[in-house]
Amino acid sequence: MDFETYFASELDSVREDGRYRVFTDIKRHRGKFPHATRFIGEETQAVTVWCSNDYLGMGQHPKVLEAMHSSLDECGAGAGGTRNISGTNHYHVELEAELADLHGKESALLFTSGYVSNWAGLGTLAAKIPGCVVFSDSLNHASMIEGIRHSRAPYKVWKHNDVEDLDRMLSEFGPEVPKLVAFESVYSMDGDIAPIAEILDVCEKHGAMSYIDEVHAVGLYGQHGGGIAEREGLMDRITVIEGTLGKAFGVMGGYIAASRNLVDFVRSFASGFIFSTALPPAVAAGAAASIRHLKNSDAERELQQERVKQVRRKLDMLGIPHLDNPSHIIPVMVGDAKKCKMISDWLMDNHGIYVQPINYPTVPVGTERLRLTPSPVHDDGDIDRLVNALSEIWSQCELARMSAAA
Ligand SMILES: *Cc1c(COP(=O)(O)O)cnc(C)c1O
């Protein structure tokens, strides 16, 4: 086989579909984020980032940086091994205790990313519980889907956030069949939130385990940043809570929190945990500092919510269509892949505003969008520049405005 020709032709077809991904090359500036420098060949451009998942700017928080600097100087660069073979650093142990406490669970287990925690966590539970059947929300993240597929357990996909559909599917299996229900709290593309209490009612009715991905909620919701389940007082009813340290916590890594036995079970059987080098100690120390700070400080969460409201209000005043939802994610709907990419390029080239276009296959065709993530580090000037630029391009392209337009 002529491998090179094959690779090139596959890439060409991705390009023809308009799905070829071109990365925006930036340096984020500590202390000045969301401001960054973009690299385009030999040129550079000052940009403001509007599509980051560093939702609270914790990636530049002085306490996080201080914890990372001091642990780096203390322990060196890498962990030096898998968790079982010399790689368990005291900072990992402290971080796991912090995570268990955050979610009111007996135990927690760290992974190198949220992706791996879902893939290995769900994959191990579904594969190792004899006869287990998985029930997966239709909009679950790729990492959960891959974990479920990898387990080779039978699975059923229930309609997004549809508790009756879930109930009906669970009813098809007798009480003797072990069941695992997997879903998210905040869905990252539409910013909608699952009816967690109702889902748990149904899980309990059928004796099913519940597995929630709170990746887009940890740090952001609940009195201590424990997520939507903390806010709604539901953490103790959920079997497994999964989260990331790479989004609102601003660092990197993933985890599950659950009972001591469940966590010990995954720790003992999950290949993606066992056979992989532990996170660098400095990463664990930084994440722990971020969690500790957000457990005790509401200021970042409150200011984020205020910024989100401000952006929504201004978009409404200008009639720029955006999905209404109860979260911090603002999807500005364009509905056409080429236009979405064109608007994104125009914002960058003319205003230094960086919003990645979200096209198929991440979202369905016809729902292409710009996904805005306002944060406490965006100021009034950043917001005004963003909405004014959007209004300008909306006029230039003669895009539809909502009737509320002034
Ligand atoms: C980003 C994401 C993950 C993966 O987390 P990482 O730490 O980035 O690997 C898992 N679930 C959802 C819903 C996500 O959006």
Side-chain angles (χ1 to χ4, degrees):
M1 183 181 190
D2 181 349
F3 297 111
E4 285 298 321
T5 306
Y6 171 73
F7 298 146
S9 78
E10 286 295 295
L11 288 168
D12 281 342
S13 73
V14 174
R15 276 191 200 92
E16 273 159 32
D17 291 357
R19 293 195 286 118
Y20 186 72
R21 288 163 193 235
V22 180
F23 295 156
T24 301
D25 174 358
I26 61 171
K27 266 186 194 167
R28 306 204 298 158
H29 298 304
R30 192 263 307 154
K32 298 201 179 69
F33 185 72
H35 301 286
T37 298
R38 178 186 173 212
F39 293 78
I40 323 119
E42 298 295 298
E43 317 249 297
T44 61
Q45 179 193 11
V47 300
T48 306
V49 183
W50 273 100
C51 54
S52 174
N53 285 335
D54 184 1
Y55 291 127
L56 300 175
M58 292 305 287
Q60 64 183 2
H61 195 283
K63 285 185 189 168
V64 175
L65 299 193
E66 161 53 28
M68 293 188 77
H69 282 296
S70 63
S71 54
L72 179 64
D73 289 339
E74 184 189 2
C75 301
T82 63
R83 288 292 296 275
N84 192 42
I85 308 180
S86 88
T88 296
N89 192 281
H90 192 59
Y91 286 109
H92 299 129
V93 177
E94 285 184 345
L95 174 55
E96 286 174 337
E98 203 64 71
L99 288 165
D101 176 73
L102 177 67
H103 294 293
K105 296 291 180 194
E106 289 173 347
S107 215
L109 191 68
L110 267 176
F111 297 83
T112 44
S113 72
Y115 188 102
V116 175
S117 65
N118 273 333
W119 179 76
L122 270 177
T124 302
L125 291 170
K128 297 280 179 191
I129 298 173
C132 183
V133 179
V134 186
F135 301 81
S136 176
D137 184 285
S138 64
L139 289 191
N140 273 346
H141 189 257
S143 55
M144 301 170 87
I145 297 168
E146 289 297 324
I148 295 163
R149 284 210 192 118
H150 178 75
S151 77
R152 300 206 186 124
Y155 66 93
K156 291 245 163 194
V157 177
W158 44 290
K159 278 193 211 128
H160 177 55
N161 281 349
D162 188 332
V163 180
E164 278 167 28
D165 197 41
L166 173 63
D167 188 22
R168 195 182 50 70
M169 277 188 189
L170 286 164
S171 306
E172 290 170 15
F173 296 84
E176 73 291 350
V177 175
K179 305 174 188 77
L180 174 56
V181 174
F183 60 107
E184 301 182 22
S185 59
V186 176
Y187 286 84
S188 75
M189 288 305 147
D190 285 353
D192 57 329
I193 297 178
I196 303 174
E198 287 82 356
I199 292 171
L200 295 175
D201 288 344
V202 171
C203 288
E204 285 160 9
K205 176 177 152 193
H206 294 277
M209 294 171 62
S210 49
Y211 182 109
I212 194 170
D213 173 320
E214 286 249 45
V215 159
H216 292 278
V218 290
L220 302 174
Y221 298 93
Q223 203 191 336
H224 304 94
I228 302 288
E230 184 195 14
R231 184 183 76 183
E232 299 182 357
L234 298 169
M235 292 196 297
D236 62 333
R237 291 177 60 195
I238 301 173
T239 317
V240 182
I241 299 176
E242 183 273 344
T244 184
L245 305 169
K247 290 172 183 171
F249 292 126
V251 190
M252 187 180 183
Y255 63 90
I256 58 167
S259 71
R260 182 166 289 110
N261 283 330
L262 188 149
V263 167
D264 204 10
F265 183 82
V266 173
R267 187 185 73 92
S268 304
F269 289 110
S271 169
F273 172 82
I274 297 170
F275 298 106
S276 189
T277 299
L279 284 171
V283 168
S290 183
I291 294 164
R292 269 179 217 127
H293 177 78
L294 290 174
K295 267 182 189 169
N296 299 307
S297 169
D298 267 334
E300 292 81 6
R301 286 187 278 277
E302 277 167 16
L303 191 51
Q304 184 204 28
Q305 291 298 330
E306 182 48 42
R307 291 309 191 200
V308 171
K309 272 194 210 126
Q310 224 176 321
V311 173
R312 282 211 178 100
R313 205 160 50 224
K314 294 198 171 184
L315 291 174
D316 284 341
M317 275 161 51
L318 295 164
I320 311 272
H322 56 99
L323 266 191
D324 196 20
N325 67 47
S327 77
H328 58 284
I329 293 160
I330 307 183
V332 169
M333 304 309 279
V334 179
D336 177 278
K338 289 212 175 74
K339 270 187 196 154
C340 198
K341 169 87 170 70
M342 194 273 285
I343 293 171
S344 164
D345 289 344
W346 183 90
L347 288 169
M348 183 76 104
D349 295 340
N350 293 279
H351 295 276
I353 289 170
Y354 174 25
V355 195
Q356 194 66 35
I358 311 276
N359 288 343
Y360 178 83
T362 309
V363 295
V365 173
T367 72
E368 291 80 2
R369 66 197 68 185
L370 302 168
R371 177 181 178 273
L372 305 176
T373 53
S375 78
V377 292
H378 290 100
D379 65 20
D380 291 342
D382 295 325
I383 293 174
D384 285 340
R385 279 188 292 278
L386 170 74
V387 295
N388 291 336
L390 279 171
S391 185
E392 197 185 327
I393 189 68
W394 238 252
S395 297
Q396 275 189 29
C397 296
E398 297 179 339
L399 290 166
R401 297 197 191 230
M402 294 183 300
S403 51

